[in-house]
Amino acid sequence: MKLVSTLLATSIAAFGSSQVMAYEAGDIMVKAGVINVAPKNDNASITGVGKVQVKDDTQLGLTGTYMVTPQIGIEVLAATPFKHKIELDNGSTSTIGTTKHLPPTVSAQYYPMDPSSAIQPYVGAGLNMTFFFDEADAVKGNALGPLGDSFGLSVSAGINYDIDDKFLANVAIWYIDIDTELEGSNAALGKDYDVEIDPLVFMAGVGYKF
Ligand code: NI
């Protein structure tokens, strides 16, 4: 009987600890990891010049989530500045410049699983603000103007896995509508050109729950 009571005590303890892992209103999760911004293909077409492609970049991503209820969270996505190569395809491909940007994104999230589950998939929808800076011509004299700020919608999805009651592993993806303009202040452009970056953003990392 001692064995049975020990097993019983152990399983009660295990059950108790799984309850501790439950998501609760007021929980704060902070996650860090590698984050990649992969723009869609064919970001702009400049008359008489060619097609513009913004290349992908990987940085350190950070997210913070505040649980408003056990199943609804508010997430803020931040990262160290991304630096993208900009290529021009006019028959052959060449790098015409670079740009840096910060894409802070605020999302409302829904966690459909029972709050006591160790695996927590979620979906989100939100608002992105992208600020471009440090645009640089790779080749002097090329037609690269500044890029305007972008405000757009985002959708996201991810999975948290509770390693214990404090640490978790996370993978996440966002689709962000980032539409900017290559501004025609540069005489070689003559007018503004729409640039649709509309990237997929992937992040994989670890988190800590407060
Ligand atoms: Ni777009």
Side-chain angles (χ1 to χ4, degrees):
M1 288 311 282
K2 184 151 181 12
L3 178 64
V4 172
S5 59
T6 305
L7 282 175
L8 204 59
T10 308
S11 47
I12 288 167
F15 180 72
S17 75
S18 80
Q19 289 302 99
V20 172
M21 294 204 298
Y23 283 31
E24 291 166 355
D27 280 352
I28 292 173
M29 281 176 272
V30 175
K31 301 176 224 172
V34 289
I35 186 166
N36 177 269
V37 171
K40 71 165 193 158
N41 288 328
D42 293 343
N43 304 119
S45 186
I46 301 175
T47 316
V49 178
K51 279 187 171 162
V52 172
Q53 178 67 50
V54 182
K55 306 300 283 184
D56 76 315
D57 189 42
T58 302
Q59 292 291 336
L60 170 69
L62 295 168
T63 63
T65 307
Y66 175 76
M67 298 306 291
V68 181
T69 77
Q71 289 181 296
I72 293 175
I74 300 291
E75 177 199 67
V76 177
L77 165 66
T80 50
F82 292 92
K83 184 179 180 180
H84 296 271
K85 261 204 262 182
I86 303 174
E87 288 184 353
L88 177 70
D89 181 356
N90 54 2
S92 67
T93 303
S94 55
T95 301
I96 58 167
T98 57
T99 185
K100 291 183 182 175
H101 73 90
L102 283 170
T105 305
V106 180
S107 302
Q109 301 175 316
Y110 175 60
Y111 295 73
M113 298 287 277
D114 186 283
S116 66
S117 170
I119 296 179
Q120 292 286 346
Y122 56 86
V123 290
L127 184 65
N128 164 264
M129 297 139 274
T130 297
F131 306 102
F132 295 93
F133 58 98
D134 273 5
E135 291 87 352
D137 283 16
V139 183
K140 210 80 186 134
N142 256 325
L144 179 69
L147 290 162
D149 295 339
S150 164
F151 294 85
L153 298 177
S154 68
V155 289
S156 55
I159 301 175
N160 291 337
Y161 175 71
D162 283 344
I163 297 164
D164 59 26
D165 61 342
K166 289 293 174 194
F167 288 95
L168 58 100
N170 170 256
V171 287
I173 184 169
W174 293 257
Y175 167 78
I176 306 180
D177 188 23
I178 301 179
D179 300 335
T180 179
E181 279 190 338
L182 199 50
E183 290 168 3
S185 48
N186 185 319
L189 282 179
K191 66 178 189 108
D192 292 352
Y193 284 90
D194 292 336
V195 180
E196 297 243 324
I197 297 179
D198 298 350
L200 284 175
V201 178
F202 306 94
M203 181 168 151
V206 291
Y208 188 83
K209 191 162 71 174
F210 294 90

